[in-house]
Amino acid sequence: MDCRAVRERLSLYLDGELTTSEIQLIDEHIESCTDCRAELSSLEETVLLVRSLEPLEVPPDLQDKIIDRTMAAANSPIGASTRIPRINWRHAWGRWGRTFSSVAALLVVAVLIGKTVSGPGFSLPTKEVYQAPSASDSADRDAESPAMNEVAEEQTSMFMMKESSLPEGMEIAAEEMNRDGATAPAVPTERKVIQTAYLSLQIEKLDTAVDLLQEAVRECGGFVQSSNMFRQEYGRGASYTLRIPADRFDDVLSRLEKLGDVQNRGITGQDVTEEYVDVDARRRNLIRQEERLLAILDQAKTVEDILKVEGQLERVRGEIESLTGRLRYLDNQVGLSTIDVELQERPRSVTAVQLPDQKGFGARLARAFTGSVNLLLSYISNMMVWLVSAAPFLFVGAGIGAVVWWAWGYFQRSK
Amino acid sequence: MTTDEVLVKLCCQGDKEAFATLVERYQDKIYNLTYRLVSNPEDAADLTQEVFYRAFLRIKGFRGDASFATWLYRIATNVCYDQLRIRKNRQVVSLDNTSPDDPPRDLPDQEAGPAELCMKRIVFQRLQEAIATLPVEQRTAMVLRDIQGLSYEEMAQVLQCPLGTVKSRLSRARRALKDKLMSERELFFSENVYNG
Ligand SMILES: [Zn+2]
């Protein structure tokens, strides 16, 4: 494992999120590489430092405030700061429950129509998380993505609306509101899906890749939400969080994949259609309530009544603001997909050593040639080894030969 | 101790005490999560209220396929993202609305002397400032993992993104934070890091 690969995995290494063999490879590398060892210890100290941050003491009155606010919304007798005379709404509930079920049924139908209308032209990379909702598969869907549970949320909030109290004598107005609310659901023309992708790429040259990436983002009308660049001795890298118009998501993703070798890739599609429809319906409903309350405020006679209605109005407006924010957020998330891209230059040393993958006759020739060279080299080296290992015998043999030679010459001369 | 799931069920049946118990059980975690994300104790208190308020509205939608904590964290990160977006928009007009005068109200350490306490305070404050400069998605990953102690799978559930994204964001966050802290290495790191 080279330094680059090691450093990429150090965070996971610290968390014990690697396989045994990966851990072993990193251990071995760190044993011999001082730089990576230093990197690991500074990273580890960083993590320990963050983990040592002491928890903030919760303000002593926070719990009361939470309960007050929540229960005030539910108009519970517990902790409700503004006590408003309660009205018996129970008689209205039966009718209300029925209205709600029909709204829910209408929504399912609307959603199904929306699906059919947008059906064939609308493709998503992850089919399994993307199914048309129906009564039968709703349980599976809930299991899949808890976020979609928020349909049921409306039951709660509408329950609260039912319970929310108004000055006496205004029941009729409030009931009218509820009827208006029942006709309000928006019919979506397309599914609302938040798409998120993750892409990790190994590239040749960072500058080129970054240029191409930015070009791709510019051309599709997206933008770079955040970016990091890092330089290390084995090459440079960068990570980007991109926001891409949803209809260009597939395009851009496949374009990005061509920038280099894909190391890792993941896509999720989170269907928020139902939440969207529900939040939208609830918001419309509240806007009607707001109008009604304003009308009631005009008719209010006593100061007490005015204060009560204003209290209600404030609550309704707060809720509208919060729902509008949520819708804007969903619109933003649905309209702009998020792609996390990581770019990492291929380590230089490896590129220099490895021949590019070649095919055909030329490559075979090259392989045959290098093969022959290697064979020759191995002969030569074998011969060298033999020479070295035989050296003592050769020396001794040469010595004996010299003595014999000298003795022979002496014998000849003395004759 | 009554489990979260039982409390949620009771809550759905209109048991106010059950909801209060859930608030008591999680307000600490949610308050700290929001504080680390928005870096302001007052905002954190408001956001914590908002989180529980939204949770209460949606409690019947909780089906128990993720843990209650995961579900609550998801609401909390969404609430914080909303808040940070609003703040970003406001910052166009007013330059910065996180005043540096806000003292971090970390728990005082009983053991440490005044000098050490002061030093520790400075370190923690600088650290929080450094965390606050991370891009929001990296910051969230780091806070969920290293402050709230979530597993990678739980993080993927909270953030509703692929596991690879979680790993990548966390790794990026930690490396970026390390680089930032390195500029004041004497303050943050032990000797073996800044000498060797
Ligand atoms: Zn190394």
Side-chain angles (χ1 to χ4, degrees):
Chain A
M1 211 182 269
D2 59 6
C3 291
R4 181 194 55 82
V6 168
R7 292 190 186 186
E8 250 172 29
R9 289 172 174 78
L10 286 181
S11 171
L12 292 167
Y13 175 85
L14 286 174
D15 287 338
E17 291 282 328
L18 294 173
T19 62
T20 329
S21 58
E22 279 176 314
I23 291 170
Q24 202 182 339
L25 285 172
I26 288 177
D27 284 340
E28 279 166 14
H29 181 96
I30 280 169
E31 197 68 30
S32 58
C33 177
T34 33
D35 287 350
C36 286
R37 199 158 56 231
E39 176 91 5
L40 177 65
S41 60
S42 59
L43 199 69
E44 187 172 19
E45 289 201 15
T46 302
V47 172
L48 287 176
L49 211 55
V50 174
R51 292 188 177 178
S52 72
L53 275 170
E54 284 158 353
L56 239 64
E57 210 174 349
V58 175
D61 57 345
L62 185 62
Q63 185 170 0
D64 289 344
K65 278 187 182 165
I66 294 169
I67 303 286
D68 277 1
R69 180 168 172 203
T70 316
M71 295 309 159
N75 193 29
S76 146
I78 305 167
S81 46
T82 50
R83 277 170 200 271
I84 298 165
R86 296 192 65 183
I87 302 160
N88 183 7
W89 284 89
R90 211 148 291 155
H91 67 278
W93 175 237
R95 207 180 65 126
W96 230 94
R98 281 198 300 280
T99 320
F100 182 78
S101 340
S102 52
V103 172
L106 207 77
L107 288 184
V108 170
V109 170
V111 156
L112 281 171
I113 291 169
K115 163 72 180 159
T116 332
V117 167
S118 63
F122 191 71
S123 74
L124 256 178
T126 44
K127 289 279 193 293
E128 61 280 6
V129 287
Y130 175 57
Q131 292 166 342
S134 69
S136 62
D137 72 5
S138 67
D140 306 340
R141 204 178 49 250
D142 285 340
E144 225 165 55
S145 165
M148 295 170 195
N149 293 347
E150 294 181 352
V151 207
E153 157 197 333
E154 308 322 316
Q155 274 168 315
T156 328
S157 69
M158 285 177 175
F159 180 76
M160 283 171 18
M161 241 181 266
K162 175 213 72 166
E163 276 216 320
S164 70
S165 60
L166 286 167
E168 304 216 33
M170 291 173 181
E171 294 102 309
I172 296 162
E175 278 190 28
E176 272 174 16
M177 276 178 227
N178 289 340
R179 254 206 320 281
D180 286 350
T183 58
V187 178
T189 49
E190 58 178 343
R191 306 291 298 167
K192 302 268 182 193
V193 178
I194 298 176
Q195 297 173 111
T196 314
Y198 165 69
L199 197 60
S200 149
L201 294 167
Q202 195 166 67
I203 46 151
E204 290 302 333
K205 243 180 102 44
L206 186 66
D207 299 335
T208 327
V210 165
D211 285 349
L212 290 171
L213 175 139
Q214 277 170 342
E215 197 185 299
V217 172
R218 216 175 21 249
E219 272 177 21
C220 74
F223 61 93
V224 175
Q225 185 164 295
S226 66
S227 65
N228 291 349
M229 290 255 192
F230 36 93
R231 180 191 293 273
Q232 271 137 349
E233 67 275 19
Y234 46 78
R236 295 180 303 157
S239 54
Y240 284 84
T241 300
L242 309 175
R243 301 300 304 278
I244 304 296
D247 53 342
R248 303 294 306 278
F249 179 75
D250 292 334
D251 280 6
V252 174
L253 201 59
S254 60
R255 209 167 144 179
L256 292 176
E257 278 168 8
K258 290 190 190 96
L259 293 180
D261 294 337
V262 178
Q263 308 284 307
N264 202 339
R265 183 176 179 274
I267 300 172
T268 50
Q270 179 201 348
D271 195 328
V272 292
T273 315
E274 290 172 39
E275 184 191 355
Y276 194 93
V277 169
D278 291 326
V279 172
D280 192 41
R282 204 164 100 208
R283 187 172 153 272
R284 285 157 188 256
N285 201 355
L286 285 165
I287 289 172
R288 280 191 172 71
Q289 269 203 48
E290 187 190 10
E291 286 163 7
R292 288 290 179 188
L293 285 168
L294 285 171
I296 291 167
L297 194 62
D298 280 343
Q299 296 160 13
K301 298 270 177 349
T302 68
V303 176
E304 206 195 349
D305 279 357
I306 291 175
L307 288 178
K308 279 171 199 158
V309 177
E310 275 180 346
Q312 287 284 317
L313 203 55
E314 198 184 327
R315 197 166 297 152
V316 166
R317 282 179 173 163
E319 185 84 344
I320 290 174
E321 198 183 322
S322 148
L323 293 177
T324 310
R326 186 72 192 153
L327 281 183
R328 215 174 288 141
Y329 173 75
L330 289 174
D331 274 333
N332 176 283
Q333 291 294 306
V334 169
L336 291 167
S337 311
T338 306
I339 306 181
D340 282 273
V341 189
E342 273 186 42
L343 303 172
Q344 185 74 56
E345 278 185 351
R346 206 182 301 282
R348 294 256 179 271
S349 53
V350 173
T351 353
V353 170
Q354 281 175 346
L355 281 169
D357 238 4
Q358 287 172 341
K359 285 180 182 108
F361 185 62
R364 271 167 57 206
L365 262 185
R367 261 203 307 278
F369 177 74
T370 41
S372 307
V373 169
N374 286 343
L375 202 64
L376 188 64
L377 281 173
S378 75
Y379 281 147
I380 292 171
S381 63
N382 284 345
M383 200 182 283
M384 298 286 281
V385 170
W386 183 83
L387 276 172
V388 170
S389 59
F393 300 102
L394 291 176
F395 274 118
V396 173
I400 292 168
V403 170
V404 169
W405 180 258
W406 176 80
W408 179 251
Y410 183 78
F411 176 73
Q412 289 287 321
R413 258 175 278 137
S414 65
K415 248 188 192 174
Chain B
M1 200 176 79
T2 326
T3 63
D4 292 347
E5 285 67 33
V6 171
L7 288 173
V8 168
K9 236 170 240 163
L10 290 171
C11 240
C12 293
Q13 291 159 14
D15 186 334
K16 310 286 182 326
E17 290 301 318
F19 184 70
T21 311
L22 284 172
V23 172
E24 201 177 347
R25 204 171 275 180
Y26 285 106
Q27 61 168 349
D28 207 31
K29 283 183 173 165
I30 299 300
Y31 178 66
N32 274 283
L33 172 64
T34 52
Y35 171 67
R36 295 300 171 193
L37 288 180
V38 301
S39 298
N40 175 322
E42 281 72 35
D43 283 354
D46 289 347
L47 292 173
T48 306
Q49 281 188 48
E50 178 70 21
V51 171
F52 281 103
Y53 177 64
R54 285 198 200 173
F56 181 80
L57 296 185
R58 299 174 191 183
I59 196 112
K60 285 192 179 165
F62 174 71
R63 297 281 157 81
D65 38 301
S67 77
F68 179 73
T70 303
W71 184 76
L72 203 58
Y73 280 10
R74 188 182 305 147
I75 296 176
T77 49
N78 281 334
V79 165
C80 287
Y81 286 177
D82 287 351
Q83 164 73 15
L84 290 169
R85 229 180 348 269
I86 292 167
R87 193 190 280 184
K88 209 177 190 177
N89 293 338
R90 275 199 204 127
Q91 273 173 4
V92 179
V93 189
S94 69
L95 213 75
D96 194 356
N97 67 349
T98 54
S99 81
D101 301 330
D102 288 331
R105 288 202 298 239
D106 293 300
L107 292 171
D109 192 330
Q110 302 296 328
E111 311 284 311
E116 282 152 343
L117 198 69
C118 186
M119 193 62 195
K120 204 169 175 183
R121 194 166 277 241
I122 291 170
V123 169
F124 281 168
Q125 189 165 351
R126 289 285 177 75
L127 181 58
Q128 176 63 35
E129 282 163 16
I131 292 173
T133 61
L134 296 174
V136 64
E137 62 274 9
Q138 291 180 29
R139 195 189 325 158
T140 312
M142 172 166 259
V143 170
L144 287 176
R145 175 70 195 170
D146 290 325
I147 294 178
Q148 301 283 336
L150 266 60
S151 72
Y152 283 67
E153 286 73 21
E154 286 168 336
M155 286 165 73
Q157 281 185 329
V158 170
L159 302 172
Q160 293 180 294
C161 58
L163 209 56
T165 306
V166 169
K167 290 178 177 172
S168 150
R169 285 182 185 174
L170 181 61
S171 171
R172 279 152 66 186
R174 284 170 168 179
R175 288 168 90 171
L177 185 67
K178 186 211 73 190
D179 289 347
K180 281 182 211 293
L181 300 189
M182 271 296 187
S183 62
E184 286 180 278
R185 52 175 69 178
E186 296 81 6
L187 186 63
F188 292 110
F189 293 121
S190 66
E191 282 180 35
N192 62 342
V193 168
Y194 61 82
N195 289 336

